[in-house]
Amino acid sequence: MKKKMKVAAFAALLSLSTGLLSVGTASAQDAGAADADLISRGEYVSRLGDCVACHTALHGAKYGGGLKIGTPIGAIYSTNITPDKDTGIGNYTLEEFTRALREGVRRDGSTMYPAMPYPSFARMSDADIKALYAYFMNGVAPVHSANKASTIPWPMSMRWPLRIWRAMYAPSPNPMNVPEGSDGVARGEYLVTGPGHCGACHTPRGLGMQEKALDGKGGEAFLAGGAPIDNWVAPSLRSDPIQGLGKWSEDDLVTFLKSGRTDHAAVFGGMADVVGWSTQYWTDADLRATAKYLKSLPEVPVTATASKDPRPTTEMLASGKTQGNAGADVYLKECAICHAVDGTGVNRMFPPMDANPVIVSDNATSLVNVIVNGGVLPPTNLAPSSVAMPAYGHSAHKLSDQEIADVTNFIRTAWSNQAHGNVSAAEVQKLRTEGSALGSAAWQVSMTGFAHQAPQPYGAGWTFSPETHAGVDEAQ
């Protein structure tokens, strides 16, 4: 009898142990799946913030840092954010990582340069930061690469004054916990003003290099257009119908952010990195939410301008009678084959020259830069073809500085375009040889009645200017 009881007890204990082992195994599997989901979520958040574009050097290792970022007082370089424990962020705790993102304070207590958009990341949700941390610590390969020192001369290179900057201009952390999956305006505001940090490029900066507004409550300055970044002007994202998004629909914005091209626009320069490395991977709901938010912003005042008939320009070019108009002659010989005599271009291939906000911007740097140095419309998942613009300042089709100035000035006033200010050959030569952005009186005095249309009253280079990957290396 005792023997039977012992056998029964042993069988019960074995059964209980097996059950506990089964439960323990299931729990471990669930935890592993949860961790994998968190890492995957973190990778998506990294796409929202386009971390890879800034933290990867030209031809460099992914997230290994080293991308040059120009400033008016010297160059700084993005840092290694891989989990390498010696040269990266492998020793950061979640709390230290969160403080770095939201407050711009490194693990050693020093303040980061505000090229790191922590004024925007101050709005990031706890859940997104937790997921991002999981991704960087467990989903990114460590890269052993020491961070590069800045070229900012002493005493401006000292870090302690940045604490004063942070106290003056950086907001206190204020997480916006907007659930993913919504395509509403609130989600769009979170994406634009938080992880997407659109204002870092598209909002003008003040004397202290601070963004003049961090959201729509900041008035007309918010997303009113920024300075040239690597010689590409970040245009207005407000309702201005000439130099902004006034004529764009929500569908236009979604298509542009997903593919880099619409029937009336094509992405080049720094924005090509944003589309190629970031927004093409966003969910349709997040793209729609972004578009809704941008279109919901209050309208900005614009002085009414009489329309201009585009037909005389088209008729002149179609007839070939360009004598006495040096810019028109260059356009007909070098540009019309792709962009057409009527300036309409080819939908989703060659952008239009007529009524293009980039063309009529108060600063012509983007137009001169793409003529001089060329550009690449990058392939995306939705539009896998890549389209290149030749570099007329350096290629076999090389134009003189005067010819480039002439064709620039022609395009900016042809068809219905009514841009202000002329570009000189000397400005073209300086951009071509020194990489210097253009400046003009139009940047000092508003020509449209929109007071913030002149983005940088303190100088055309008054911004943080990261190098552009598009056309140089492949998107990561």
Side-chain angles (χ1 to χ4, degrees), residues 389-414:
M389 163 85 176
Y392 284 98
H394 307 282
S395 67
H397 297 281
K398 185 175 180 180
L399 299 173
S400 69
D401 295 333
Q402 185 60 58
E403 287 174 320
I404 292 173
D406 289 339
V407 74
T408 298
N409 293 329
F410 167 73
I411 292 170
R412 282 166 55 80
T413 56

Side-chain angles (χ1 to χ4, degrees), residues 176-449:
M176 294 177 64
N177 296 302
V178 181
E180 187 186 359
S182 165
D183 64 357
V185 171
R187 175 67 180 174
E189 180 180 9
Y190 174 69
L191 294 167
V192 170
T193 65
H197 62 281
C198 303
C201 293
H202 290 276
T203 295
R205 293 181 182 267
L207 186 60
M209 294 284 284
Q210 83 283 8
E211 294 171 44
K212 289 186 174 181
L214 294 173
D215 56 27
K217 296 176 183 177
E220 297 165 15
F222 181 56
L223 301 179
I229 296 175
D230 203 25
N231 286 330
W232 303 99
V233 176
S236 169
L237 302 183
R238 300 299 291 269
S239 62
D240 187 324
I242 305 300
Q243 299 194 38
L245 300 179
K247 295 180 180 178
W248 289 52
S249 67
E250 283 185 17
D251 287 342
D252 288 335
L253 287 166
V254 170
T255 300
F256 183 80
L257 293 173
K258 194 168 187 176
S259 69
R261 58 198 79 181
T262 68
D263 289 348
H264 52 79
V267 68
F268 284 93
M271 193 63 196
D273 286 356
V274 175
V275 173
W277 299 50
S278 176
T279 57
Q280 70 159 316
Y281 298 100
W282 292 20
T283 64
D284 289 342
D286 278 350
L287 292 173
R288 179 63 60 180
T290 297
K292 283 185 176 180
Y293 173 68
L294 290 175
K295 296 299 289 184
S296 76
L297 290 171
E299 291 190 3
V300 295
V302 179
T303 301
T305 303
S307 61
K308 179 185 171 188
D309 188 351
R311 290 175 295 180
T313 301
T314 300
E315 292 167 0
M316 175 189 65
L317 293 172
S319 70
K321 297 177 181 179
T322 59
Q323 295 86 351
N325 190 327
D329 188 55
V330 173
Y331 182 87
L332 190 60
K333 293 176 180 177
E334 304 291 347
C335 313
I337 190 171
C338 292
H339 298 285
V341 295
D342 61 358
T344 56
V346 176
N347 289 352
R348 308 199 182 196
M349 287 281 286
F350 307 121
M353 298 291 98
D354 185 28
N356 186 325
V358 174
I359 301 296
V360 296
S361 168
D362 283 341
N363 186 289
T365 295
S366 291
L367 179 57
V368 173
N369 189 38
V370 77
I371 295 173
V372 169
N373 295 311
V376 174
L377 177 60
T380 60
N381 294 327
L382 189 64
S385 60
S386 178
V387 181
M389 163 85 176
Y392 284 98
H394 307 282
S395 67
H397 297 281
K398 185 175 180 180
L399 299 173
S400 69
D401 295 333
Q402 185 60 58
E403 287 174 320
I404 292 173
D406 289 339
V407 74
T408 298
N409 293 329
F410 167 73
I411 292 170
R412 282 166 55 80
T413 56
W415 305 289
S416 65
N417 297 336
Q418 301 182 68
H420 299 279
N422 285 326
V423 173
S424 69
E427 288 177 304
V428 174
Q429 189 268 342
K430 196 171 182 180
L431 184 146
R432 180 175 56 80
T433 59
E434 301 176 16
S436 299
L438 277 65
S440 74
W443 281 63
Q444 303 300 329
V445 181
S446 172
M447 296 295 184
T448 64

Side-chain angles (χ1 to χ4, degrees), residues 63-106:
Y63 294 119
L67 187 74
K68 182 180 178 181
I69 302 171
T71 81
I73 57 175
I76 58 179
Y77 295 86
S78 65
T79 56
N80 182 341
I81 56 171
T82 73
D84 183 78
K85 292 184 177 296
D86 295 323
T87 62
I89 60 172
N91 292 315
Y92 273 64
T93 65
L94 174 59
E95 291 73 21
E96 291 166 340
F97 182 78
T98 300
R99 192 179 186 207
L101 279 179
R102 287 181 176 160
E103 301 178 51
V105 178
R106 302 192 303 189

